[in-house]
Amino acid sequence: MTAAVAAFQDPTLKFGTQKDSAACVFPARKRVLESLLGKSFPSPACPELETWVSRIGADQASLVFVGAYPGNPASVLGHSFLRLSNRARESSGREGLDLLSYSIGFTAQADPRDNRMIYMLKGLTGGYAGYYEIEPHYMKIGLYNNSESRDLWDMPLELTPSEVDMMVRHYWELTFNASLDYYFIDENCSYRLLTLIEAVKPDVDLTSKLSMVVLPAETVRTAIEADLAKERPRFRPSVKRRMNYKLRLLDDSGRIEFDRARRSLEATRELSDPTAADALLDYWLYENYKVKTDLDDRSKALMEATYSRTAELRSTSRFHGVTNERIRDEAELSPPFEGHEPSWLELRAGATTRGHFGALTYRNGAHPFWSGDRGYDDISGIEYLGVDLEAAATEKARWSLLLAKATAYENFFSFARDLSWSFEGKLTNACSICRTDASVADVEGGVGVGAKTSNFTAYLLAHVKAAAWSENGTQGLVAPGFASGLKSRHGRLTMSIEARTHWWKDANETRVDARVTRSLGLSRSLLVHANHEDLNEANYRSSLSLGFAQFF
């Protein structure tokens, strides 16, 4: 502080990457010191700073939550950033003016030469520097809403214009003259946004309430609980969601017209249903972004013909945009930050073919596939940092230490043709196909197809199980197989079942897990769990248990 006071008192001294006076390089710090010390420092002209602040022109800020992106395991839990906007400009009511605002995010500066293993290792240990970035909001919309087809929820924050101005000036300091380590688990994009808010609103404590793993949805929940986000979030549906809603508005003839027009130039030029044309615009926007604007010549011609034909139509689409009541009511009921808490504990008791047992399951996060919480509709399931214990008097205790389990089951039969996938990594003493009592490092994963509606999910994956253990030297196996399953949701009742089969040498391992859960609200569920496993259809074990799950 003594050095800062001396720097602010002498405007001729030069600092930072800008080689300018301290008042111009650290404008927010100057205001804080003046307030704390009750004195004023010289205020030299800062034309670059003032031009930059004026160009942003912000007097309000929003916290934006980005929905799941199943195409990338690192993004399946969502993302968050801040949006800086101008009240007068956006109060005019014209749609799309939010695109002219600016967005702030915090990103790891990764080395493109790093492979995935090095990327994860550095990300977990703070091996990358993190930096703040600012860009026009329409670029965020292009990336998240269109390219990755992710929903956005925009929540205005309870910040005064002076606090927003302070945030902009503090961001100036961080952009040019700060380096912060990036940790994927805790000190990540979401955490750094909360520290930015705390810096300009020091009477609000946000970061001390966060758990060991900081999730984007939980940072939003933290802001809401601190009364920083009182308004209902503004929902911006993804391009794929918009297209699907428009398709739902079509009758059979409209769907046929849409399907023909996306394949035929002649059919495109004869389009007569404006809602089908509207859906087709989104279809080509989605396809164009998916291939990074590198459509083949035939697709380009079809897209251009769609734009031309839409301009010729005189009637209007039956779809009324983001303000459509049906979309708003359905979507705003289901953001993850309004769903269950990220951690949970299960307690079960039951019987097996060999006697009675008790079981405990703990997960640090974030969402189990068996849950029927609609706040996680876009996330099939992701679990990490957990333990499974099962003890019985008549057989050895079974345990597993889970590192991570992620599943993304997409509707392959939609226009997007997205594949489904799963991954699981754990350490366990329950591996019948390994034929050992040693602790086993187990990695399983697969890819395949799925079918998905609002209340039903089914999938079939080509699957592989890899295991390694130490017993008379290092042992290992790689067992191919398949995994299939389905999930059905009816009100508060959710039913799920999964079957996995793997082959290795002369062994054939089959596992079947089934669950029925009855939700008692966001925090609790009653459950019935059935399990069957056998090796070569001879050495089998079946169990049935009752219990409950508590989210916290």
Side-chain angles (χ1 to χ4, degrees), residues 26 51-52 63 134 138 147 201 212 236 245 263 326 378 384 405 415 427 442 480 536 542:
F26 301 107
T51 298
W52 187 79
L63 181 58
I134 187 168
Y138 63 78
S147 181
K201 207 172 182 66
M212 178 177 65
R236 178 183 282 273
Y245 271 103
R263 295 191 179 95
R326 181 182 178 189
D378 291 335
Y384 56 80
K405 177 181 180 180
F415 295 108
L427 183 68
D442 182 304
N536 295 345
S542 298

Side-chain angles (χ1 to χ4, degrees), residues 117-192:
M117 186 64 68
I118 297 298
Y119 175 77
M120 291 300 297
L121 179 63
K122 286 186 176 181
L124 292 170
T125 59
Y128 292 125
Y131 66 95
Y132 287 91
E133 61 179 2
I134 187 168
E135 59 187 354
H137 187 54
Y138 63 78
M139 294 183 69
K140 292 289 190 187
I141 297 300
L143 172 62
Y144 297 126
N145 226 202
N146 297 336
S147 181
E148 297 180 355
S149 198
R150 300 165 73 176
D151 297 324
L152 274 67
W153 287 267
D154 185 304
M155 284 147 289
L157 295 174
E158 297 293 316
L159 297 177
T160 65
S162 62
E163 289 171 337
V164 174
D165 181 68
M166 184 72 163
M167 178 183 289
V168 172
R169 293 173 187 272
H170 180 43
Y171 174 74
W172 168 273
E173 300 172 339
L174 295 171
T175 301
F176 292 102
N177 296 289
S179 177
L180 300 166
D181 292 335
Y182 193 105
Y183 293 87
F184 289 170
I185 289 181
D186 51 3
E187 296 181 18
N188 52 26
C189 60
S190 297
Y191 175 85
R192 291 299 180 187

Side-chain angles (χ1 to χ4, degrees), residues 180-252:
L180 300 166
D181 292 335
Y182 193 105
Y183 293 87
F184 289 170
I185 289 181
D186 51 3
E187 296 181 18
N188 52 26
C189 60
S190 297
Y191 175 85
R192 291 299 180 187
L193 295 182
L194 294 186
T195 61
L196 192 59
I197 296 171
E198 285 180 332
V200 302
K201 207 172 182 66
D203 57 323
V204 174
D205 180 14
L206 300 174
T207 53
S208 68
K209 301 176 182 178
L210 298 175
S211 63
M212 178 177 65
V213 179
V214 178
L215 304 177
E218 295 314 300
T219 60
V220 176
R221 197 196 304 268
T222 298
I224 293 173
E225 291 174 351
D227 287 332
L228 273 177
K230 297 180 180 180
E231 296 183 27
R232 289 289 294 167
R234 292 192 289 267
F235 178 67
R236 178 183 282 273
S238 67
V239 60
K240 186 162 68 172
R241 189 182 294 273
R242 291 199 310 268
M243 179 184 69
N244 287 335
Y245 271 103
K246 292 171 185 178
L247 290 175
R248 292 181 194 178
L249 297 175
L250 297 175
D251 56 19
D252 290 342

Side-chain angles (χ1 to χ4, degrees), residues 348-405:
R348 293 180 287 112
T352 74
T353 49
R354 303 169 187 175
H356 299 285
F357 74 96
L360 176 149
T361 295
Y362 165 77
R363 294 290 184 267
N364 187 260
H367 170 67
F369 176 62
W370 52 260
S371 170
D373 192 332
R374 289 191 176 273
Y376 292 84
D377 275 351
D378 291 335
I379 304 174
S380 295
I382 181 165
E383 305 174 25
Y384 56 80
L385 302 181
V387 61
D388 296 276
L389 299 174
E390 193 172 298
T394 56
E395 56 183 331
K396 72 171 186 177
R398 297 155 62 96
W399 59 265
S400 294
L401 299 177
L402 180 73
L403 176 62
K405 177 181 180 180

Side-chain angles (χ1 to χ4, degrees), residues 59-60 85-94 97-98 234:
D59 58 8
Q60 65 179 357
S85 56
N86 182 274
R87 298 173 191 270
R89 181 172 60 208
E90 295 195 5
S91 64
S92 67
R94 287 183 56 192
L97 286 177
D98 61 319
R234 292 192 289 267

Side-chain angles (χ1 to χ4, degrees), residues 25 56 144 164 177 226 300 407 428 472 493 508 512-513 548:
V25 175
I56 294 173
Y144 297 126
V164 174
N177 296 289
K300 285 180 182 178
T407 58
T428 182
N472 298 321
L493 198 65
N508 176 4
V512 180
D513 278 281
F548 74 94

